[in-house]
């Protein structure tokens, strides 16, 4: 098997290799698909099932196709798709199979999907909830989404033309660390901060915004990628279809730069970040009131501001010929091993929910959450747990882009940022999944516990997280020849 | 001293009762505190002497005088002074209060407070820190000059106070990064390398909120502003040039927009573990600065001014002439940090070779004193529990609470106060109103990780005292906002 022959000693399988990139002509295509269903649908992002009652803003798939050509000959390529959904499990693999026939000659390994993590987007997995009532079933919705997305992918790829790229680093205070640490060493996601035991937010916050601007031959802005280290889950509890803050961002940028502008919103590592307020709530809310904006609009305002401010500067450095390379790797990392104590706690949780009516979606969800943990404990008696990761690493000029499939805690992003040889390093989480992934908590988060750090929330722990860091850095170094 | 403490507490209780809507009188002025002779600069262990013909920007002291009047009668007051110095040594504030008392007739000097912007290129005020300043102006001589200039501005602001108004708002500017790198073995290092495999992340959070207070005269003309940034002004910390750091650029730009007489008080929010230099994403940050044709200091000023404009644009519709005003001044003791046997041994081991040296070079003299003081503290704690005296100012201006502390306070403590404060907006100011040696106040996690800023040499008060400070601050704010 070809895949096997490309296996590295370290255990990585190179699905698409790329060495040090040399300058090449950049061809660019972009398109957008409306993936909003015309029927009520289940929304994913909470343990309980929410069926949409209306559409607050339309969910989209935004597609960017890139190809490098050297003396007219294609050298490398990529298709990046940003989707307004909470997460992607097997969706990418299914979509690759779906799209293969529509893009003859395109190596589908070079395509990846990334979720914006909106909590008000359509549910993709039929097994997510147990009863969808009269709403559109996920198994009905996915073909609908594939068709729409397939059209956009084909359009972007087939319409690619010589273009140019610019990039820059902006700042917007969007995410806050959501893990609240207490005097006894424990941490709680969204825990109370107004108690005497509160000792601080557990980790760092990242307010950098990585922006790439893509142009056609006439230097018209045709697409942009914006990576914000904050999931778009401002209105996470609503029963309305919504792309969350990405909708007003897109709307405003299209107003300023043209209705055809394609905006790919990516979520940078933000497993422990959230767009809701964690501190200074009263002062932040007052400012929103005075601006006559809700939280979602306020965050969009900040992102658009930094987009414009960065654009003012980056537009003097537009490049048509840039080094371009796209490396795709699959590798295994050690899975998180459950301790006996964690198993006992999961068992207790499972037994508690087993007594309840699992026709209630939340009971069904929680019970399965614990059940999967018990299954993992049983499985680890026979074999060491492992997780498979697909990682895309691209070089575009001085920029490195690296994906991971997790809700990755910012500690890991810092490690990559701290050691990356690239001029600018863009990290994208919840991307290119090849199975269920979940949170990837840091050492300090595991020590503190709580949702997002407990074993139920994470299949991979700090050991696997550090390995992800090392793999990512090795791939970036390879592309930058360092 | 006991009598004085009681007086301060009494005064505070009296002012709390006055936190009703009152007419606001405002005065503001600026003093140039740049000496006309070479002077020693504070902020590093080694001696740096400025030259008079090479001043990068002038160091200033900006003064705001506020008085509330109910039915024409003064009910409370405050004078806040932001100085372009690294820190204010012990007794400087009390000496200045005595110095200025005669010029501010009828003003309760305990209601005046000094703060430092923490520029590392400002004049030294502490005579004892360095052993040889060459031909530079001695700090004691500089202090006289500093007091004279400061007193003039304080008097001008106080006597020039008139009815005015105020607005406030919260903005954001990414100015700082956490400067403590954590490693796989659990240790931490200030400015530790992030480019090695053992790097596990930055120890704590960051705070990119900027608190703005806007003061206007009776004609609604901008008179003064107080800007609190959770980042010390030490971008150019290694230079041997007198320099107000990024506050110089912020002031220049705001004055260009709002008039030459606009008074800008730059305050430092809790930022003991924060720094304006880029710790991560250095090359991308540097590229953006190059493209903007700005250096780091100018870039940070640009961000602060941008936040200022964005905030002012919104809050100018909510300007108040009458608001609740009260100023509470408290002095209390915090438990001091106890030095362990191991920490003592380490300090001793570091001190002895320096003590044996006939001639000390570079930062050795300062280091020697640093370890010597730690050894002395260890000896002293055998006979008495270490205590540390703190003066805290808590003010209420409308829905805004302002609370000071004299430390380089780690952000964790700032978070605890912010989370539990009943005020609509809480402004915390560090390196303010010192009555004792003001040093770092590291958090629990920093103390565990160690490194400069968290070791006992860097801190007279530890996490126990830090939490006590949090509780005292909240008690004072709660009293001001009691309904």
């Amino acid at each position: 098997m070809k895949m096997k022959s490309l296996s590295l000693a370290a255990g990585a399988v190179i699905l698409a290799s790329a060495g040090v990139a040399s300058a090449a002509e950049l061809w660019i295509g972009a398109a957008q698909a409306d993936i909003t269903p015309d029927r009520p649908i289940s929304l994913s992002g909470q343990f309980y099932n929410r069926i949409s009652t209306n559409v607050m803003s339309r969910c989209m798939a935004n597609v960017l196709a890139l190809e490098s050509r050297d003396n007219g000959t294609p050298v490398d390529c990529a298709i990046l798709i940003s989707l307004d959904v909470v997460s992607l499990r097997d969706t990418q693999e299914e979509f690759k199979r779906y799209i293969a026939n529509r893009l003859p000659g395109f190596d589908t390994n070079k395509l990846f999907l990334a979720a914006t993590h909106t909590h008000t987007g359509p549910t993709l997995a039929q097994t997510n909830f147990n009863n969808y009532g009269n709403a559109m079933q996920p198994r009905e919705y996915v073909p609908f989404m594939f068709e729409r997305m397939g059209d956009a992918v084909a359009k972007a790829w087939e319409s690619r033309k010589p273009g140019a790229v610019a990039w820059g680093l902006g700042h917007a205070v969007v995410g806050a660390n959501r893990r609240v640490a207490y005097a006894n060493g424990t941490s709680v996601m969204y825990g109370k901060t107004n108690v005497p035991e509160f000792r601080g937010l557990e980790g760092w916050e990242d307010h950098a915004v990585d922006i790439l601007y893509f142009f056609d031959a006439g230097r018209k802005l045709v697409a942009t990628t914006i990576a914000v280290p904050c999931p778009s889950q401002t209105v996470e509890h609503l029963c309305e279809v919504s792309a969350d803050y990405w909708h007003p961002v897109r709307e405003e940028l299209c107003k300023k730069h043209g209705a055809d502008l394609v905006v790919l919103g990516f979520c940078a590592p933000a497993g422990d970040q959230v767009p809701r307020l964690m501190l200074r709530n009263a002062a932040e809310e007052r400012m929103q009131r005075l601006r006559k904006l809700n939280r979602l609009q306020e965050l969009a305002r900040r992102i658009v501001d930094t987009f414009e401010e960065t654009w003012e500067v980056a537009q003097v450095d537009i490049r048509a010929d840039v080094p371009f390379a796209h490396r795709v790797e699959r590798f295994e990392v050690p899975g998180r091993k459950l301790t006996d104590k964690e198993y006992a706690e999961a068992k207790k949780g499972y037994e508690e929910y087993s007594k309840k009516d699992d026709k209630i979606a939340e009971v069904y969800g929680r019970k399965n959450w614990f059940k999967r943990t018990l299954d993992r404990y049983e499985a680890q008696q026979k074999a060491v747990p492992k997780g498979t990761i697909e990682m895309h690493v691209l070089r575009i000029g001085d920029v490195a882009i690296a994906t991971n499939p997790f809700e990755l805690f910012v500690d890991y992003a810092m490690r990559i940022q701290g050691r990356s040889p690239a001029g600018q390093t863009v990290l994208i989480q919840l991307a290119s999944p090849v199975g269920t992934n979940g949170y990837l908590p840091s050492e300090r988060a595991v020590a503190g516990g709580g949702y997002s750090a407990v074993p139920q929330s994470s299949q991979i722990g700090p050991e696997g997280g550090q390995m992800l860091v090392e793999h990512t850095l090795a791939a970036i170094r390879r592309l930058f020849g360092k | 001293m006991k009598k004085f403490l009681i007086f301060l507490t009494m005064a505070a209780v009296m002012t709390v009762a006055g936190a009703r809507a009152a007419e606001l009188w405002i005065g503001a002025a600026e003093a140039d505190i740049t000496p006309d002779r070479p002077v020693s600069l504070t902020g590093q262990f080694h001696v740096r002497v400025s030259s008079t013909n090479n001043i990068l920007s002038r160091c200033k002291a900006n003064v705001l005088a506020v008085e509330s009047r109910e039915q024409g009668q003064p009910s409370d007051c405050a004078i806040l002074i932001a100085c372009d110095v690294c820190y204010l040594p012990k007794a400087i504030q009390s000496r200045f209060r005595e110095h200025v008392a005669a010029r501010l007739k009828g003003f309760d000097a305990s209601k005046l407070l000094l703060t430092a912007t923490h520029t590392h290129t400002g004049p030294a005020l502490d005579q004892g820190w360095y052993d040889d300043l060459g031909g530079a102006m001695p700090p004691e001589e500089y202090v006289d000059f500093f007091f004279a200039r400061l007193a003039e501005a304080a008097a001008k602001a106080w006597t020039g106070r008139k009815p005015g108004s105020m607005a406030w708002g919260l903005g954001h500017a990414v100015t700082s990064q956490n400067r403590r790198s954590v490693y796989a073995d659990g240790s931490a290092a200030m400015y530790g390398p992030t480019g090695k495999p053992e790097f596990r992340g930055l120890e704590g959070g960051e705070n990119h909120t900027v608190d703005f207070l806007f003061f206007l005269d009776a004609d609604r003309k901008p008179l003064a502003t107080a800007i609190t940034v959770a980042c010390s002004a030490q971008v150019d910390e290694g230079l041997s040039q007198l320099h107000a750091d990024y506050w110089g650029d912020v002031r220049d730009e705001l004055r260009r927009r709002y008039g030459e007489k606009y008074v800008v008080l730059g305050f430092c929010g809790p930022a003991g573990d924060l720094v304006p230099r880029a710790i991560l994403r250095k090359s991308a940050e540097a590229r953006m600065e190059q493209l903007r044709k700005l250096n780091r200091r100018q870039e940070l000023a640009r961000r602060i001014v941008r936040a200022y404009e964005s905030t002012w644009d919104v809050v100018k519709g909510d300007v108040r002439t009458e608001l609740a005003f009260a100023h509470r001044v408290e002095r209390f003791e915090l438990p001091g940090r106890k030095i362990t046997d191991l920490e003592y041994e380490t300090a001793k081991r570091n001190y002895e070779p320096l003590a044996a040296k006939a001639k000390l070079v570079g930062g050795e003299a300062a280091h020697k004193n640093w370890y010597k003081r730690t050894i002395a503290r260890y000896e002293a704690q055998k006979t008495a529990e270490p205590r540390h005296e703190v003066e805290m100012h808590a003010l209420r201006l409308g829905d805004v609470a302002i609370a000071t502390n004299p430390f380089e306070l780690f952000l964790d403590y700032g978070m605890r106060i912010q989370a539990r404060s009943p005020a609509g907006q809480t402004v915390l100011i560090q390196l303010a109103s010192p009555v004792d040696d003001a040093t770092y106040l590291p958090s629990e996690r920093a103390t565990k990780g160690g490194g400069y800023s968290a070791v006992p040499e860097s801190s007279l008060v530890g996490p126990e005292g830090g939490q006590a400070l949090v509780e005292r601050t909240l008690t004072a704010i709660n009293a001001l906002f009691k309904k």
Side-chain angles (χ1 to χ4, degrees):
Chain A
M1 196 177 159
K2 192 182 169 195
M3 235 183 223
K4 213 165 195 175
S5 67
L6 283 169
S7 268
L8 293 180
V13 173
I14 313 303
L15 298 179
S17 67
V20 181
S22 54
E25 189 183 40
L26 195 64
W27 284 50
I28 297 161
Q32 189 184 59
D34 185 333
I35 58 166
T36 317
D38 52 7
R39 290 165 52 191
I41 188 154
S42 158
L43 306 173
S44 267
Q46 304 293 347
F47 273 99
Y48 55 96
N49 193 8
R50 291 162 298 145
I51 304 296
S52 65
T53 53
N54 66 310
V55 176
M56 179 195 259
S57 62
R58 302 196 76 79
C59 288
M60 311 297 271
N62 283 282
V63 183
L64 177 69
L66 299 171
E67 188 183 53
S68 60
R69 294 195 185 187
D70 191 11
N71 291 324
T73 307
V75 182
D76 209 340
C77 63
I79 292 179
L80 292 69
I81 308 171
S82 154
L83 273 172
D84 288 331
V85 295
V86 73
S87 63
L88 303 149
R89 290 183 190 170
D90 302 317
T91 316
Q92 176 173 282
E93 293 309 290
E94 290 167 15
F95 184 67
K96 279 183 186 171
R97 288 194 287 275
Y98 171 86
I99 201 70
N101 293 335
R102 295 189 63 174
L103 297 180
F106 178 80
D107 175 3
T108 55
N109 283 318
K110 298 269 176 146
L111 171 152
F112 73 81
L113 303 180
T116 60
H117 210 49
T118 176
H119 280 41
T120 44
T123 300
L124 301 180
Q126 186 67 33
T127 54
N128 214 21
F129 299 108
N130 53 351
N131 183 1
Y132 297 95
N134 293 326
M136 189 177 193
Q137 302 290 305
R139 61 173 163 259
E140 287 177 87
Y141 172 71
V142 169
F144 164 85
M145 183 181 88
F146 279 5
E147 195 183 329
R148 296 282 181 101
M149 204 155 74
D151 288 346
V153 168
K155 186 179 167 192
W157 180 248
E158 284 155 11
S159 67
R160 69 196 185 282
K161 283 181 188 152
V165 62
W167 59 86
L169 178 74
H171 302 90
V173 176
V174 178
N177 193 291
R178 60 181 165 184
R179 290 182 48 87
V180 178
Y182 297 104
N184 65 1
T186 62
S187 293
V188 177
M189 188 165 110
Y190 306 135
K192 283 184 182 171
T193 59
N194 61 347
V195 293
E197 299 76 26
F198 171 56
R199 287 294 175 272
L201 300 177
E202 184 182 79
W204 192 57
E205 287 170 7
D206 185 7
H207 301 300
V209 180
D210 292 294
I211 309 173
L212 282 89
Y213 306 86
F214 295 91
F215 309 87
D216 65 13
R219 295 289 192 268
K220 184 184 166 229
L221 190 63
V222 292
T224 180
T225 66
I226 308 174
V228 179
C230 182
S232 54
Q233 59 181 104
T234 313
V235 291
E236 61 185 347
H237 296 291
L238 294 187
C239 293
E240 296 174 73
V241 172
S242 169
D244 210 86
Y245 66 67
W246 284 114
H247 173 74
V249 168
R250 291 192 290 245
E251 209 173 41
E252 190 58 27
L253 291 181
C254 287
K255 206 186 287 174
K256 288 173 188 273
H257 297 278
D260 296 334
L261 178 69
V262 172
V263 181
L264 285 87
F266 289 127
C267 190
D272 44 352
Q273 314 287 298
V274 73
R276 75 163 74 165
L277 294 166
M278 295 299 294
L279 292 170
R280 295 172 174 264
N281 297 31
E284 293 271 9
E285 282 161 6
R286 172 176 174 262
M287 292 302 288
Q288 284 170 211
R289 272 197 311 275
L290 289 172
R291 283 188 210 277
K292 298 186 175 62
L293 299 176
N294 59 31
R295 181 77 182 154
L296 181 151
Q297 293 162 329
E298 168 62 14
L299 297 186
R301 183 189 69 80
R302 295 179 193 179
I303 295 166
V304 170
D305 270 2
T306 201
F307 180 96
E308 294 298 324
E309 187 184 57
T310 307
W311 167 234
E312 273 170 34
V313 174
Q315 61 181 303
V316 301
D317 189 19
I318 297 173
R319 319 259 185 108
D321 283 289
V322 288
F324 180 88
H326 181 183
R327 188 176 177 86
V328 189
E329 291 185 20
R330 274 195 194 180
F331 53 89
E332 283 186 338
V333 295
R336 180 172 175 178
K337 281 189 93 168
L338 288 127
T339 63
D340 292 346
K341 189 172 168 233
E342 288 164 345
Y343 169 72
E345 279 165 11
K347 200 165 172 227
K348 196 173 145 201
Y350 176 71
E351 284 165 358
E352 193 184 313
Y353 277 95
S354 293
K355 289 177 202 156
K356 297 180 180 173
D357 180 3
D358 71 1
K359 286 194 186 68
I360 300 165
E362 188 172 356
V363 173
Y364 172 83
R366 292 263 179 202
K367 195 173 94 174
N368 284 341
W369 196 56
F370 288 118
K371 176 70 168 54
R372 283 194 296 272
T373 309
L374 301 182
D375 291 345
R376 280 165 55 197
Y377 183 81
E378 298 301 334
Q380 78 183 27
Q381 310 305 318
K382 296 171 199 149
V384 176
K386 290 194 176 301
T388 301
I389 294 174
E390 180 177 303
M391 178 180 70
H392 291 246
V393 182
L394 292 93
R395 176 177 179 175
I396 306 175
D398 292 339
V399 176
I401 298 176
T403 70
N404 73 80
F406 303 99
E407 287 193 63
L408 191 68
F409 276 47
V410 287
D411 276 357
Y412 297 109
M414 283 196 250
R415 296 173 204 179
I416 299 170
Q417 292 289 354
R419 295 164 61 195
S420 171
Q424 186 168 340
T425 303
V426 183
L427 302 174
I428 304 173
Q429 71 166 21
L430 288 166
S432 66
V434 289
T436 310
N437 292 289
Y439 290 97
L440 206 169
S442 59
E443 292 84 349
R444 54 179 152 184
V446 169
Y451 181 84
S452 76
V454 290
Q456 292 87 320
S457 306
S458 66
Q459 301 199 8
I460 310 292
E463 190 191 354
Q466 187 58 31
M467 202 170 274
L468 170 71
V469 168
E470 301 301 340
H471 268 279
T472 306
L473 284 164
I476 296 174
R477 281 192 201 110
R478 197 176 283 267
L479 294 184
F480 281 79
K482 288 177 181 171
Chain B
M1 179 55 74
K2 211 165 191 178
K3 236 175 172 178
F4 185 51
L5 280 176
I6 293 165
F7 168 73
L8 286 167
T9 310
M10 290 276 288
V13 173
M14 284 161 71
T15 55
V16 171
R20 293 186 296 265
E23 189 184 34
L24 200 63
W25 284 51
I26 301 160
E30 186 186 72
D32 188 331
I33 57 165
T34 316
D36 54 7
R37 287 170 52 193
V39 70
S40 162
L41 307 174
T42 294
Q44 305 292 348
F45 275 96
H46 59 281
V47 178
R48 289 167 301 146
V49 173
S50 70
S51 71
T52 40
N53 56 4
N54 193 5
I55 292 169
L56 202 52
S57 63
R58 299 193 76 79
C59 290
K60 305 285 181 81
N62 281 278
V63 184
L64 177 73
V66 182
E67 187 184 53
S68 57
R69 293 195 185 186
E70 291 179 48
Q71 294 169 342
Q73 292 303 307
S75 51
D76 210 340
C77 62
I79 293 180
L80 290 72
I81 306 177
C83 308
D84 288 332
V85 296
C86 187
Y87 68 97
L88 298 149
K90 192 173 176 173
I92 278 283
Q93 180 176 270
S94 55
R95 283 172 59 194
F96 179 66
R97 282 175 176 165
E98 284 167 21
H99 179 90
V100 83
R103 297 188 66 167
L104 300 179
K105 294 222 163 41
F107 176 79
D108 172 3
S110 72
K111 300 270 176 139
L112 176 149
L113 72 109
L114 300 181
T115 70
T117 61
H118 209 45
T119 176
H120 280 42
T121 45
L125 300 170
D126 195 343
Q127 185 68 39
W129 187 244
Y130 303 115
D131 59 344
D132 181 9
L133 299 174
M137 189 177 193
E140 266 311 315
E141 201 180 321
Y142 173 73
V143 166
D144 290 341
F145 167 85
F146 171 72
F147 280 178
R149 294 286 178 100
L150 219 61
E152 205 172 307
K156 187 178 168 194
W158 181 249
T159 53
R161 69 195 187 282
K162 285 182 183 155
S165 56
M166 181 193 151
W168 62 88
L170 182 76
H172 301 90
V174 174
T175 48
S176 59
Q177 286 210 312
N178 193 292
R179 60 180 165 184
R180 291 180 48 87
S181 300
V182 175
Y183 299 102
D185 64 358
S187 67
M190 189 166 109
Y191 306 133
T194 60
K196 59 183 195 178
E198 298 78 20
F199 174 59
R200 287 293 176 273
L202 300 176
E203 188 179 76
E206 287 165 12
N207 178 15
H208 300 302
T209 53
V210 184
D211 293 294
F212 293 99
L213 304 178
F214 305 93
F215 297 93
L216 314 168
D217 67 15
D219 300 324
R220 296 290 165 98
K221 197 178 146 221
L223 189 69
T225 182
I227 307 176
T228 306
V229 180
C231 180
S232 48
Q234 60 179 107
V235 179
D236 292 331
E237 60 185 350
L239 297 185
S240 295
Q241 292 166 283
L242 263 178
H243 181 22
D245 212 82
Y246 65 70
W247 284 114
D249 302 271
V250 170
R251 289 192 295 248
D252 286 350
E253 185 56 30
L254 290 178
R255 283 187 177 152
R256 199 178 61 75
R257 296 173 189 216
Y258 296 95
E260 277 307 303
K261 289 184 179 165
Y262 197 39
V263 171
V264 180
L265 287 88
F267 292 129
C268 189
D273 43 352
L274 307 180
V275 73
R277 70 167 77 164
I279 299 288
L280 292 171
R281 299 170 178 268
K282 289 180 196 171
S283 55
E285 293 274 4
R287 174 175 172 263
M288 293 302 286
E289 286 164 22
Q290 265 163 22
L291 289 172
R292 284 201 166 95
K293 298 185 177 63
L294 299 176
N295 59 32
R296 180 78 181 158
R297 197 191 73 233
Q298 293 163 330
E299 168 60 14
L300 297 189
R302 184 190 70 80
R303 295 179 194 179
I304 294 166
V305 170
R306 200 176 157 86
Y308 177 100
E309 294 296 350
S310 165
T311 307
W312 173 237
D313 199 37
V314 173
V315 303
K316 63 188 180 193
D318 189 20
V319 176
R320 319 267 181 102
T321 45
E322 293 218 339
L323 44 73
F325 179 84
H327 181 184
R328 189 180 175 91
V329 190
E330 291 187 19
R331 275 197 194 181
F332 50 87
E333 284 187 338
L334 295 175
R337 180 173 175 176
K338 284 188 96 168
I339 292 160
T340 64
D341 293 347
L342 182 65
E343 288 163 346
Y344 165 71
E345 291 300 334
T346 307
K348 206 168 155 225
R349 204 170 47 245
N350 288 320
Y351 171 73
E352 281 165 354
L354 293 170
K357 273 190 149 184
K359 184 169 170 54
L360 298 168
V361 293
E364 286 179 336
H367 270 107
K368 190 182 98 175
N369 289 339
W370 204 51
Y371 293 122
K372 192 179 172 185
R373 280 197 296 268
T374 307
I375 294 165
R377 279 164 59 197
Y378 180 80
E379 297 301 336
Q381 77 188 23
K382 288 178 186 166
T383 47
E385 287 291 313
R387 312 290 296 171
H388 191 88
E389 193 178 12
V390 171
E391 179 176 300
M392 180 183 67
H393 292 248
L395 292 94
R396 177 176 180 174
L397 291 104
D399 291 341
V400 176
I402 298 176
T404 70
N405 72 81
F407 302 100
E408 284 193 66
L409 191 68
F410 273 46
L411 182 60
D412 280 355
Y413 299 110
M415 286 196 232
R416 296 175 204 175
I417 300 168
Q418 289 291 352
R420 295 165 59 197
S421 169
Q425 185 168 338
T426 303
V427 182
L428 302 174
I429 303 172
Q430 70 167 20
L431 287 166
S433 191
V435 291
D436 202 342
D437 286 323
T439 56
Y440 290 97
L441 206 171
S443 59
E444 292 83 348
R445 52 179 154 183
T447 307
K448 271 186 207 154
Y452 181 84
S453 75
V455 290
E457 284 81 5
S458 308
S459 64
L460 293 166
V461 177
E464 189 194 352
Q467 188 58 31
L469 174 73
V470 168
E471 301 302 338
R472 291 299 298 238
T473 306
L474 284 164
T475 302
I477 297 174
N478 281 327
L480 293 177
F481 281 79
K482 199 162 56 182
K483 286 173 185 162

